[in-house]
Every structure is written in structure tokens, then in C-alpha cells.
Amino acid sequence: MHRTLRNFRRVHRAALRSLIFGLVIITAVIVTPLAAPTPLSAQDDPAPPDFGVNAVVAPQVAIGSLSEFDRFNGRFNVSTVGAGTFMLGAATFQVTEAELPFSGNVARAYLYWSVFGYDNIFDTITFAGNQITGMNIGTAGSVCRTQGNTDQTFVYRADVTSLVTTTGSYQVLGLPASGDIDPAMQTGGASHGVGLVLVYQDNNLPPREIIINDGAASVNTASTTFDTTFSGFMTDMTPATNASISIIVGDGDAFLEGEQLINGQPFADNPFTGGSPIIDVRTFDVTTFEPSDPTTLTLGNAPGAQGDCMVFMAAVLSITSPDTITPTATDTLTPSNTPTPSNTPTNTPTASPTDPPSNTPTPSDTPTASPTASDT
């Protein structure tokens, strides 16, 4: 019996030692903090590029600029429209009567598109069923869509005046889509979208000064802006009765860029959200800011804002003055709107020498065959 009791005590002590040892191990695990994992850098991250994220990470300043390309002085108006091509490399947009009230009166139509990637080879696309070749008007920095921001951004412009003669649907094909870029091999590209700047004549309108600045300017770090200036107005536009700014921007999204300025005053706050997948074609009423000669826009990521990676393609200033303007040479642009027969029938509203007398019943018919007041 004593031997049995000693054996029981020996087993009990061994079990107790094992229990105590186990408790010590558990306590050490609980009390000792786990070492934090070493974070991977952007260059070490094995994950593929996330085209849905556009964080500001590149240590760069604004790259590129917008400068004057064209201007119009007289009884003109301007409108803009666009669409995103990021997912499919194609898009269709509508030109309505709001953008073009009078078919056949198109003075100029400029199509813009931007591509981020590695190859400057995306100048030829299909527009309205016709192959067109644009000009590379600028190359800017990364828009933060690839690991390490190794890509560039290319902006193109094409004169499509002969193809935009009336309202309706206009289709764009042949742009690279999101699957056409290979960051690992640093080849290819992907497009943001297209924007159309449409200038048309309307002799019922008051005189207007329209200036188009374009190029390629990218911002991809916080508190980074650039300026673009409109100057050399052909006439005195003060006091302006109507003034607007139209801007075409690629790659805007939910990241906040802060206030955009005109002559140092904010005219918009966080306006570029990529509403038509990752492209914005926006127009802002800036009449109350009384634009004068010169007028400077400060665009990009305002100080203190979260910041957004974007590329600016074009900015258009339009100012209306109540003063009478004597038409200048740029007010007679209609001959350039007749490169194809399709423009001829609709762009000849004035009376010709062979018109019958029935076209001159009142003096109001003789200056131009302008639209009726109800169309304005």
C-alpha cells in the first residue's frame, strides 16, 4: 500500500510539473508582444497594379503645361462634351442642341484624348466611322496607375471639324483599354477618354472672346499646382456679362484635389471625380470673378488637400461682352468649315446673287440668314 501511495505521489508530481511548464509557456506567449511584420515597399510589392486605386505617392512636381493653341473673337460660342474609354477603349457620346444649336455652323471641332503607359503610339483612332490621326501635343508624368509610377501620360489632339457637322451620336474606337498595358514589361498603355471642344458661329449672339489653351500637365503629389494664363484679348471684355471656364481632365477620382483658382480666387472645390470613368469634361460659370486680361487659372492639388493624380488636356476661357465688336479676321472662319461636300448645303445661309426676290422681304433678312430669336 505504501508503494502504491509513493507511485501515486510520483505521478502526481510529474503531472504537476508538466502543468506548471505549460502555464509558463502560455503566459510567455500572451505577455511577449509579436514583432510587427516588415512592410513591403511599392517596388517589392508582388501584387499586380491596381487600376482602381489612384493614390498620390510619386515624389514629383507638376509636369508639363497648357499654352494657347487657338482663339476666336466675334459672334461665336463654345461647348464641350466627352466620354470615358478606360474599360473598353471605345465610347459613344452625344452632341445635342445644347452643344450645337445650329447644324452646319461649326467653326472648329477639336478632339482630345489621353493615354497613360509606356508607348507614344496611340495617335491614330477611329472617330465617327473615319480613321483620324492626332498630334501628340504633350507628354506628362505618371498618373499613379502603375507600381513605382514608371509610366508617362500622352495627350493627343485632332481637328475633326469636317466630321462634326450636326447633332447626333459620335463613336470613338481604337483606343487602348485597361488590359492593354503591361507594367511588368513596361509596354502598352490605357486610355482615360476623349473630350470634344466645339466652337460654332451664331450671329444672334453678343460678341465673345474664346481662347483655347491645351497640352499635357500632370500632377501626382499633394500641394502641387500649375498655372495656365489667357492673355492678349482682342477687345475690351469688361464688364463681362458672361464668362465660363471649360476643362478636360483625365484620371480624376475620389481623392480630393481641393480648390481650383481663377486669378487667385476659388471657383471650384474638388471638381474632378472621374464621372465618366476617369475623365472629366467640366464647365464652370466664372462671371462673378470678372475675368480680365490677363486671366490665370491655378489648377491641380491645392495646399492641404489630400491630392489626386490627374492629367490636364485643355482649358477654354469664354467671355461675353456687351460692347460691339467689329469682326476680326478670326470672325470669318466659315470657309475652313467647308473641306467636304457634307458641310456645303448647311453652311450657306446667306443670300446668293441668284436667290429669288422672295428672300429679301424685310431688311432683317439681308445681313445674314441667322437663326431666329427663339433658337437662342
Side-chain angles (χ1 to χ4, degrees):
M1 178 176 180
H2 291 288
R3 182 178 300 170
T4 302
L5 182 59
R6 283 196 299 271
N7 290 338
F8 173 78
R9 288 173 178 171
R10 188 180 298 114
V11 172
H12 181 266
R13 283 196 297 269
L16 183 60
R17 283 196 298 269
S18 298
L19 177 61
I20 293 172
F21 180 76
L23 289 174
V24 170
I25 296 298
I26 293 173
T27 303
V29 171
I30 293 175
V31 173
T32 305
L34 295 175
T38 303
L40 294 174
S41 66
Q43 288 77 15
D44 297 331
D45 191 347
D50 183 358
F51 291 118
V53 176
N54 187 217
V56 175
V57 293
Q60 297 178 338
V61 297
I63 298 177
S65 62
L66 304 183
S67 57
E68 183 177 326
F69 161 63
D70 205 352
R71 67 168 59 218
F72 306 83
N73 180 259
R75 301 188 186 278
F76 295 97
N77 205 348
V78 63
S79 60
T80 54
V81 65
T85 58
F86 176 63
M87 297 304 296
L88 301 176
T92 299
F93 60 83
Q94 299 288 327
V95 174
T96 68
E97 289 187 358
E99 290 83 35
L100 182 59
F102 314 110
S103 295
N105 284 9
V106 176
R108 288 289 188 272
Y110 297 118
L111 187 71
Y112 294 87
W113 62 96
S114 60
V115 175
F116 67 91
Y118 305 93
D119 303 317
N120 183 9
I121 57 173
F122 303 104
D123 57 343
T124 300
I125 62 174
T126 299
F127 175 70
N130 294 268
Q131 187 177 81
I132 62 172
T133 299
M135 174 186 295
N136 175 217
I137 59 173
T139 299
S142 170
V143 287
C144 314
R145 291 277 171 183
T146 59
Q147 297 292 354
N149 301 303
T150 55
D151 59 302
Q152 292 180 298
T153 309
F154 310 100
V155 175
Y156 305 89
R157 179 191 65 231
D159 186 334
V160 292
T161 306
S162 63
L163 302 176
V164 183
T165 60
T166 186
T167 58
S169 297
Y170 289 87
Q171 186 180 48
V172 178
L173 300 170
L175 279 164
S178 57
D180 295 325
I181 184 172
D182 186 348
M185 298 299 296
Q186 296 193 4
T187 59
S191 58
H192 297 115
V194 296
L196 181 71
V197 175
L198 188 60
V199 181
Y200 60 90
Q201 287 183 297
D202 181 356
N203 290 327
N204 283 341
L205 292 175
R208 189 182 303 261
E209 184 104 13
I210 299 171
I211 304 175
I212 303 174
N213 287 7
D214 67 13
S218 64
V219 292
N220 55 16
T221 185
S223 302
T224 300
T225 61
F226 72 96
D227 291 345
T228 183
T229 299
F230 305 90
S231 61
F233 295 175
M234 294 182 180
T235 56
D236 182 8
M237 284 294 174
T238 56
T241 57
N242 180 275
S244 66
I245 292 289
S246 298
I247 303 175
I248 303 176
V249 181
D251 224 290
D253 56 26
F255 292 90
L256 305 181
E257 63 270 2
E259 294 177 335
Q260 311 299 295
L261 308 180
I262 179 169
N263 292 335
Q265 304 178 72
F267 68 89
D269 191 11
N270 303 318
F272 307 120
T273 59
S276 180
I278 71 170
I279 191 167
D280 291 280
V281 181
R282 301 286 308 278
T283 296
F284 308 91
D285 187 337
V286 294
T287 306
T288 58
F289 299 98
E290 299 181 355
S292 57
D293 188 359
T295 285
T296 297
L297 302 183
T298 301
L299 306 173
N301 293 317
Q306 179 184 14
D308 194 359
C309 297
M310 301 174 288
V311 59
F312 292 79
M313 295 176 252
V316 184
L317 173 66
S318 174
I319 305 180
T320 302
S321 171
D323 299 333
T324 301
I325 292 180
T326 302
T328 63
T330 56
D331 201 15
T332 58
L333 285 169
T334 44
S336 64
N337 194 32
T338 56
T340 62
S342 61
N343 284 339
T344 306
T346 57
N347 200 32
T348 55
T350 55
S352 64
T354 59
D355 286 335
S358 60
N359 196 32
T360 57
T362 62
S364 62
D365 288 335
T366 54
T368 59
S370 57
T372 62
S374 62
D375 291 331
T376 61

